[in-house]
Each structure stands twice: as C-alpha cells, then as structure tokens.
Amino acid sequence: VGRDADNLIDFSTDNSIIFRTNNSNRLRLDQSQFYPVSNDGLSLGTATTAFSDLFLASGAVINFNNGNITLTHSSGQVDYAGGNFVLADNSPLFIGSGGDGKIESSSDDFIISQTTTDKDLIFKCDDGSGGTETYFFLDGSAGRTIFPDNKILGIGTGTDLYFVHDASNSYINANGTGDLIIKQMTDDKDISFRCDDGSGGTTEYFRLDGGDGQTNVSRNIKFYDTVQAWFGDGNDLRLTHDGTNSYIQN
C-alpha cells in the first residue's frame, strides 16, 4: 500500500510489516520488535524535531553496539555495564576502565565534594575478611580528616613510616628503613616538645631553639640508676648513680 513502488507499506511477508521510503526498505515491524531494516540506518528524531519524552517499561535494557554497553533498569536504579563512561564538560571525566573500577579526569582539576551540612565523605574498602569497613573519612561536622582506631596512615611504598592509634595509645613508627628525621626548616623557629604538666594542663619540657642555636630544657631530666650522662665527642666526662653512690668520671 503506498504512493508508488518507491514509497509504501508492505504486508506481503507473514507476521511482518515493512515500511519503504525513497526506494529502500527502512523499518520493519514484527510480532515483538520494531527496528531498522539495515544496521545504523535511521535516527530517531532530529536535532530540530525531537521527541518530547521516552517511556520504557520496568526492566528495560538499552543496548549499544549489540550489547557492547548496556543500561539496564531495575527497581529504583539503572545498571551500567561495558566500557568507559565519559562525562564531559570541557574537562572529560572517565568512570571505569576494563576490569578495574576507575574515576579519572583527563584535564583540569578533579573535585570530589560533599555539600550537605555536617555530613561526611567516607572512604571504605575490603576489610580482609570478606566485608568492608571505613579506612578514613572527612568529618563535615568537626571539619577534620579522621582515621578510625587501628587504621594506619602509611607513608612510603613499603609503609616505611606510619601513624596509628590503637584506641589507647598513639604511635609514629619508622618501619625498619633508614633514619627517622624531624626537621624544622623555618629560620629562627623552634621544635617544642610538650606534655602534661601534672596539673591538668600542658607545658614545654624541652625545646630545640632555632633562634639561639641550642637546646633549652624547662623541666627536670631523670636518669635511672646505672644510666650514664655522657659529655664530649669521646664521652670523656660521665655522670652516673648506681643506686648507692654517685660518680663524676673524667
């Protein structure tokens, strides 16, 4: 049925209707599907004459390139499967790559923001026992980054320096590689060592004074029995107490 042999609707094949335009079969309607006769042969709408809405049933699947990438609907969500998912607004954002999960920005800054007042940005991973747990989080109500108890902040490829709190004590550990160096680089500034003053406050016990070029001691220093205090490049002067007697040895 049509204007002529080049433009018609063809019912000659059982259970199928073919739509022909400009001397070519364009669309085909079968019992359960409606599709272009040739792959990639038609667009749905145009840049200036677009459809207003697209309605899909629950469980619908959108396939790209014969399932190379799919969008599958389930209750309350859409599942993405396939290659990279790219969000581009001058700065491309890639989500996923091969078998690994990856979020990557190929240009400009990459910003992760939590804008809800007093809420957190939480980073979780496998706990080594088949579950997941929080390794650290950005605490929006306290304005700080928090590593929970027993979560190590490791520095270096082999975690050669790490910081940890075990719910009772805090540790700074150099893990068997090289020296542990604490350095103050600002001219005339100090490194101050402070602790509880025995009365509910804190006080300085000793200070490496960058302005004076010396170590200033503000509290008593206690040497236990038989522990010597050495002076001189060759330890030539020694002070000690053995529990009974005291010695000054040159």
Side-chain angles (χ1 to χ4, degrees):
V1 177
R3 188 187 71 181
D4 52 33
D6 295 336
N7 303 279
L8 53 81
I9 304 175
D10 183 356
F11 299 90
S12 60
T13 302
D14 288 344
N15 302 317
S16 182
I17 301 173
I18 296 175
F19 297 85
R20 183 180 182 85
T21 302
N22 194 26
N23 197 30
S24 295
N25 294 338
R26 301 292 186 180
L27 287 169
R28 183 165 184 160
L29 175 62
D30 291 338
Q31 180 178 353
S32 60
Q33 52 194 4
F34 186 49
Y35 55 94
V37 172
S38 60
N39 185 50
D40 200 20
L42 289 174
S43 64
L44 186 63
T46 70
T48 57
T49 53
F51 289 91
S52 61
D53 298 291
L54 177 64
F55 291 88
L56 299 175
S58 178
V61 180
I62 300 176
N63 286 270
F64 298 88
N65 193 23
N66 195 29
N68 175 257
I69 293 177
T70 61
L71 295 176
T72 304
H73 170 266
S74 59
S75 180
Q77 70 181 45
V78 173
D79 296 323
Y80 173 88
N84 290 335
F85 183 62
V86 182
L87 302 175
D89 180 11
N90 297 323
S91 300
L93 176 65
F94 300 87
I95 302 178
S97 177
D100 297 328
K102 181 171 64 175
I103 301 176
E104 175 184 319
S105 176
S106 64
S107 63
D108 296 327
D109 298 327
F110 184 21
I111 300 171
I112 300 175
S113 298
Q114 161 63 279
T115 59
T116 306
T117 301
D118 292 337
K119 295 301 180 180
D120 305 334
L121 190 58
I122 302 172
F123 293 82
K124 295 188 175 185
C125 193
D126 177 67
D127 62 0
S129 302
T132 60
E133 61 181 306
T134 299
Y135 278 63
F136 71 96
F137 62 97
L138 313 185
D139 191 318
S141 59
R144 63 187 64 173
T145 301
I146 295 179
F147 288 78
D149 291 342
N150 297 306
K151 292 296 173 289
I152 292 175
L153 172 59
I155 312 296
T157 303
T159 317
D160 300 310
L161 173 66
Y162 66 89
F163 303 80
V164 66
H165 180 76
D166 65 4
S168 299
N169 302 303
S170 301
Y171 303 89
I172 301 174
N173 295 283
N175 192 24
T177 302
D179 299 324
L180 177 61
I181 300 171
I182 301 173
K183 184 182 292 188
Q184 162 64 275
M185 302 290 291
T186 307
D187 288 345
D188 296 333
K189 295 301 179 181
D190 309 331
I191 299 178
S192 179
F193 291 82
R194 305 184 182 205
C195 193
D196 177 67
D197 63 0
S199 301
T202 59
T203 188
E204 181 178 84
Y205 278 62
F206 69 97
R207 177 177 75 253
L208 311 186
D209 194 310
D212 293 340
Q214 61 189 26
T215 300
N216 295 331
V217 179
S218 307
R219 305 282 285 189
N220 294 333
I221 297 178
K222 182 176 182 178
F223 291 81
Y224 287 97
D225 290 345
T226 73
V227 176
Q228 296 182 350
W230 294 349
F231 299 87
D233 290 350
N235 307 323
D236 301 307
L237 173 62
R238 304 181 183 187
L239 309 181
T240 187
H241 180 78
D242 64 8
T244 303
N245 301 307
S246 299
Y247 302 88
I248 301 175
Q249 180 181 357
N250 186 52

